Amino acid sequence: MAPRIHCWLSTALTRWFPRSEPGTHQSLKLQALRGEQVSFQACVKVTGTDSPVEVSARLAGGEGLGLQLRRVGCVPVPHHNTLTPEDELDGLGHIPGYVPDVLFTDAATRVAPNEVQSFWVTVRVPADLPTGAQKLTVLLQVGDKTAKLPVTIDVLGAVLQPRQNFPVTHWFYVDSLCDWYQVDPWTRPL
């Protein structure tokens, strides 16, 4: 039996865990203001084989757009954040386990059978780009087969102005740090 290759596109709002079911979108349309940055994902899953497969991604078209393609890597997550209501938890059935998080600069990897690999595409729309449809294609190479997935960026007439007076706050979780260092909160270190 020949391996079955599933390729699809997704917005940036979905996290594709290694054991996620394949998506269905074979094309994608996004809107962006001039001066804006938008992102989306291209994903692949190979079933019906016991061997890892070589997968790579590249972009074609999109002249005039700033394009960046990165491979999504996973990190181990031992548990959900504590005291989170179940209806607010993300990744039910996938955590504990590997969670998509880090973006690597390479666009090729070996993918284990029955696991999802996604690639993150960042599109920067120049402020002086003419309005209208900008077309690009994501090419996913799986072994000797190539899937071509079309993406349309509808560039709108307004120009997004740069942020001003926007303070950045970095959040971290004390409970996770305490778990890692095996200490109780608000105690003095030994």
Side-chain angles (χ1 to χ4, degrees), residues 53-56 71 106-111 117 119:
V53 293
E54 299 293 328
V55 175
S56 64
R71 180 175 60 85
D106 62 323
T109 190
R110 294 186 73 157
V111 178
Q117 175 61 62
F119 296 91

Side-chain angles (χ1 to χ4, degrees), residues 16-68:
W16 294 97
F17 295 89
R19 294 294 180 188
S20 292
E21 290 300 316
T24 59
H25 296 288
Q26 296 300 301
S27 64
L28 191 63
K29 293 181 181 181
L30 299 173
Q31 290 183 326
L33 297 174
R34 294 183 298 154
E36 186 176 11
Q37 174 178 300
V38 295
S39 298
F40 65 91
Q41 298 174 81
C43 308
V44 64
K45 182 175 186 173
V46 180
T47 59
T49 182
D50 293 332
S51 302
V53 293
E54 299 293 328
V55 175
S56 64
R58 60 188 170 90
L59 302 171
E63 288 78 14
L65 298 172
L67 301 173
Q68 184 178 20

Side-chain angles (χ1 to χ4, degrees), residues 76-167:
V77 175
H79 57 80
H80 290 281
N81 287 339
T82 56
L83 302 176
T84 303
E86 189 169 322
D87 63 335
E88 293 180 18
L89 291 174
D90 179 38
L92 282 175
H94 298 282
I95 297 174
Y98 288 99
V99 173
D101 182 65
V102 64
L103 298 176
F104 293 109
T105 57
D106 62 323
T109 190
R110 294 186 73 157
V111 178
N114 303 309
E115 289 192 3
V116 171
Q117 175 61 62
S118 58
F119 296 91
W120 189 271
V121 180
T122 302
V123 180
R124 291 175 185 85
V125 181
D128 59 352
L129 191 72
T131 60
Q134 296 286 327
K135 297 190 179 290
L136 62 120
T137 302
V138 179
L139 299 127
L140 290 174
Q141 180 84 32
V142 183
D144 61 351
K145 295 187 169 113
T146 303
K148 296 178 181 181
L149 303 168
V151 178
T152 301
I153 309 291
D154 185 17
V155 179
L156 304 175
V159 177
L160 183 66
Q161 298 301 311
R163 287 184 180 161
Q164 297 177 6
N165 302 318
F166 186 78

